[in-house]
Structures are given as C-alpha cells and as structure tokens.
Amino acid sequence: MRKRIMITALLSAVLLLLSAGCGTGKKDQVSEPAAKVIDAMMTCPNKDLFDLDAAVVLGAPADPQQAEKAQQILQNWEDAIGKYFADGTLQQAYNNSLLQLYLGRAAALDQTISVKATALAGRQEFDTYSTESVDVTLTVGDEEEKATVDFTYDADGLITEVIAQQAAN
C-alpha cells in the first residue's frame, strides 16, 4: 500500500513538472489582437478596408456616394477587428489614418504588401494598462521591409492605441 502511494505521488509530481514546462509559451508570442490588427492593416491591397474612391479630402464638399463607401469601410474594420478595441478607439485610430497607413500607400503606389513574419519585441504590464511592441517583416513587391507596431491595452486587455513605424533598413 505504501509503495502504491509513493508511486502515485511520484507520477503526480512528474506530470506536474511536465505540464508546467510544456506550456504554450504565449508570453513570448505576439498576442492574437496584435496579430489580427497587423494582418488587417498591412496586408494590401484590401478593397474591403481601404478604397481610394472612399477617401475623403478634408475641406472638400461631401459626396454622398463617397461618404457611404467610407462608412461601409469603417464598418468592415469594425467587423474585422472591432472586438479587440476599447469603445471609440477603433474609430479614433481609423480617423487618424493609423490603421490605413500601409493600405493607403499600397493603393496609391499600386503595391502589394504582405506580412512575412511577426516577432514580439517587448511586453510590459502595469496596474491599469499594458503595452506590446511587435517587430514586423513585410514583403513589399519583391523587397523586404521592416516595421514596428506598438499597442497599448486597457485593464480589460482591449486596444486603446496603435502606432506603426517603418524601421530604418
């Protein structure tokens, strides 16, 4: 009986150690929200998320068709990645053109851009917010380009800010 208890305890300890050591490693991976946002904003062209015909020129008279297209594109953004953003922050990022930077460039220059790889550059957790920095390798036509995308999350893990910067090659 005592031998059986010792074997059970030993097996339990081994299983506990194995399960602790074989985690998913998510602390070292790019989070799902960041990966989805990066794919949406850096996979171009994407007429669902950016259309030059829907671009509104500040100060120009409003064209009803153009405004309708722009509203539909904003709804497409909401459908694609809205669940990852805190209230109002997706529209703010959209209005500030932060999400459309690469999509607009691809449309204006007739380029194809795709995400080749992402790597977690850093993550910090604070009492009321957290940050995540992601290094991105893009394929732009036949060339490779690097960028960094920084995310700020609220206490609920929802994105409050996105900043994309092209890395010096």
Side-chain angles (χ1 to χ4, degrees), residues 38-52 73 77 99-115 138-141:
I38 288 168
D39 280 341
M41 66 189 275
M42 294 180 160
T43 301
C44 322
N46 185 337
K47 282 271 197 187
D48 291 335
L49 299 180
F50 186 87
D51 187 347
L52 281 174
I73 286 175
W77 277 100
L99 297 176
Q100 304 173 68
L101 180 66
Y102 286 88
L103 292 163
R105 172 182 150 191
L109 300 176
D110 195 29
Q111 295 178 319
T112 299
I113 302 174
S114 62
V115 177
L138 301 166
T139 302
V140 181

Side-chain angles (χ1 to χ4, degrees), residues 15-29:
L15 287 174
L16 181 62
L17 287 172
L18 285 175
S19 66
C22 297
T24 60
K26 290 194 176 198
K27 290 184 179 182
D28 296 336
Q29 295 177 355

Side-chain angles (χ1 to χ4, degrees), residues 63-82:
D63 175 359
Q65 278 187 317
Q66 193 177 34
E68 188 177 317
K69 280 184 184 181
Q71 194 59 38
Q72 182 57 54
I73 286 175
L74 179 57
Q75 183 60 51
N76 293 346
W77 277 100
E78 185 66 43
D79 294 344
I81 58 172

